[in-house]
Amino acid sequence: MTLPRILAFDVFGTVVDWHGSITHELESLNILPEDVRAADFVRTWRAGYKPAMARVMAGELGWMLIDDLHRIILDEVLDEYGVDLDEARRRHLNLAWHRLDPWSDSVPGLTRLRQGFTLCSLSNGNLGLLANMAKRAGLPWDLILSAEVFRAYKPHSATYLGVANVFDVEPSDVMLVAAHQDDLDAARDCGLRTAYIERPAEFGRDQQSKDVSGSPANDFHAESLEDLATQLDC
Amino acid sequence: MTLPRILAFDVFGTVVDWHGSITHELESLNILPEDVRAADFVRTWRAGYKPAMARVMAGELGWMLIDDLHRIILDEVLDEYGVDLDEARRRHLNLAWHRLDPWSDSVPGLTRLRQGFTLCSLSNGNLGLLANMAKRAGLPWDLILSAEVFRAYKPHSATYLGVANVFDVEPSDVMLVAAHQDDLDAARDCGLRTAYIERPAEFGRDQQSKDVSGSPANDFHAESLEDLATQLDC
């Protein structure tokens, strides 16, 4: 098959380790009651994300950046776990999503892939978050694209087709790289190619129950971004 | 004064040499009649740019990417100069704006500035154009921002204030770096800091009539991006 020219990457979970990074931040802050595990707190925070985006897309909430959605959910989770935290520390903690560490293969894998392809992010994270993250982590994007540009969150077709429009190419000239099959399925429905990346520890090293088998419909299936680079001859 | 955290750069003329780059492409293509100088053709093409953007902003044309505006103007200029060019070559020539070379100080200057600041573009060029240009020229942006993100061209305030919003900072935490005083004046009216870059050869080495004195109202005045880096202790 002809290879696509553009690789578009999901970010949270695929390129960066949100669970490990935020668990580590929370443990350093030492703000949780003794009976609350940081690893669980983070999963609860993250679990609020999809329902919150769904409320925005349903028109219940106006258009919101992920920073603001993260903050709404954080306030709820802090209440739920009975944690008292002042405004300055809430703001700081909320921005932990800007400080996520990449998986160990991400920077070397992206660096190799960038030799042969144009690399962009395609994340529901907002532009400022993605730019701060990329600068801190050294992610070598050619272009940072976000739901913020298209005013729609994935899996809305406006995001996947938006990448093709930005680069003035056919959808089949774009391949989505993601660790989430639902994201890849929605991209394929729009005519994009798909590459599945296994991230068995996405939801925590203490809970490796994630199904990483991927769909046979994907064009590529890789263990890591370095593995994908090898498969793509980079 | 406290230094801003974000440096936002005008691109055409400030970071890249549109006149020299496109003159060179045109001369290589060898498509102009003998009595037409490439240097003049390019200036005519560029001169159509501001009126075309003004028509979009006035609502006479729907929202358009700069690629499409460049093409409309190109077709007019080719007619005006009596040049016959097939569709494939028109498309290729129009994308010369994606292949602009940086001024010699741009990459070293940006590389130094990036150590101390977050760097973004703030250009009326579209995202695909800016991404292709940055990849080819090695421009080390932390984030590519464009009129396309804000659905407004500079000097509309939505563009300058948009940068501050994206990074969730005050307008005074952003400094626009540009070789055009009207761009800087509009940014200052929005509360941004301003740095003027002299680019005496912007309109061609054959026609160095550009006034590069800059306004005393600018926070910085530099001969080049390397000079700016030195002034900002990078």
Side-chain angles (χ1 to χ4, degrees), chain B residues 8-211:
Chain B
F9 292 77
D10 173 63
V11 174
F12 298 132
T14 300
V15 176
V16 296
D17 173 13
W18 57 266
H19 188 274
S21 306
I22 297 188
T23 298
H24 184 74
E25 284 231 15
L26 270 171
E27 287 170 346
S28 306
L29 286 173
N30 201 21
I31 54 169
L32 299 181
E34 275 193 19
D35 61 335
V36 177
R37 295 174 59 228
D40 292 327
F41 186 99
V42 177
R43 280 189 286 266
T44 309
W45 194 0
R46 178 69 176 172
Y49 180 74
K50 279 200 181 180
M53 287 191 295
R55 289 181 61 199
V56 172
M57 293 308 284
E60 279 177 59
L61 297 170
W63 173 256
M64 294 183 84
L65 300 184
I66 291 298
D67 274 344
D68 299 319
L69 289 184
H70 277 149
R71 176 57 194 270
I72 290 170
I73 306 160
L74 174 62
D75 288 345
E76 289 170 0
V77 180
L78 287 170
D79 270 356
E80 183 182 332
Y81 284 94
V83 184
D84 190 29
L85 206 62
D86 64 30
E87 175 59 25
R89 291 170 90 192
R90 280 177 197 239
R91 264 187 73 86
H92 176 77
L93 178 55
N94 196 50
L95 295 182
W97 296 92
H98 293 221
R99 297 184 294 266
L100 303 181
D101 293 319
W103 301 105
S104 61
D105 56 274
S106 293
V107 172
L110 292 173
T111 302
R112 286 169 58 192
L113 288 163
R114 197 183 187 193
Q115 304 306 311
F117 301 88
T118 291
L119 310 188
C120 67
S121 60
L122 180 61
S123 169
N124 287 331
N126 42 294
L127 291 170
L129 179 158
L130 294 167
N132 289 338
M133 173 197 288
K135 190 174 184 74
R136 179 182 172 278
L139 304 175
W141 302 125
D142 290 306
L143 180 62
I144 290 175
L145 286 176
S146 154
E148 184 176 357
V149 172
F150 306 116
R151 303 275 285 187
Y153 301 120
K154 293 188 293 179
H156 194 290
S157 61
T159 60
Y160 308 109
L161 296 175
V163 177
N165 287 338
V166 158
F167 287 104
D168 195 21
V169 299
E170 296 298 319
S172 60
D173 256 342
V174 181
M175 181 155 72
L176 183 71
V177 182
H180 310 118
Q181 193 56 50
D182 54 349
D183 195 5
L184 295 168
D185 288 341
R188 191 181 322 98
D189 286 345
C190 291
L192 278 70
R193 315 291 185 86
T194 59
Y196 182 89
I197 309 296
E198 297 182 2
R199 292 298 187 195
E202 178 179 357
F203 297 94
R205 284 172 187 74
D206 61 327
Q207 195 184 70
Q208 304 210 8
S209 57
K210 186 182 162 189
D211 173 11

Side-chain angles (χ1 to χ4, degrees), chain A residues 29 48 102 142 155 169 187:
Chain A
L29 286 173
D142 290 306
V169 298

Side-chain angles (χ1 to χ4, degrees), chain A residues 8 57 63 120-124 145-167 169 171 174 176 183 186-192, chain B residues 127 148 151:
Chain A
M57 293 307 285
W63 173 256
C120 67
S121 61
L122 180 61
S123 170
N124 287 331
L145 286 176
S146 154
E148 186 176 356
V149 172
F150 306 116
R151 303 275 286 186
Y153 301 119
K154 296 188 292 178
H156 194 289
S157 61
T159 60
Y160 307 110
L161 296 175
V163 177
N165 287 336
V166 158
F167 287 104
V169 298
V174 181
L176 183 71
D183 195 4
R188 192 183 319 100
D189 286 346
C190 292
L192 278 70
Chain B
L127 291 170
E148 184 176 357
R151 303 275 285 187

Side-chain angles (χ1 to χ4, degrees), chain A residues 26-44:
Chain A
L26 270 171
E27 287 170 345
S28 306
L29 286 173
N30 201 22
I31 55 170
L32 298 181
E34 275 194 19
D35 60 336
V36 177
R37 295 174 61 226
D40 292 327
F41 185 99
V42 177
R43 281 188 285 267
T44 308

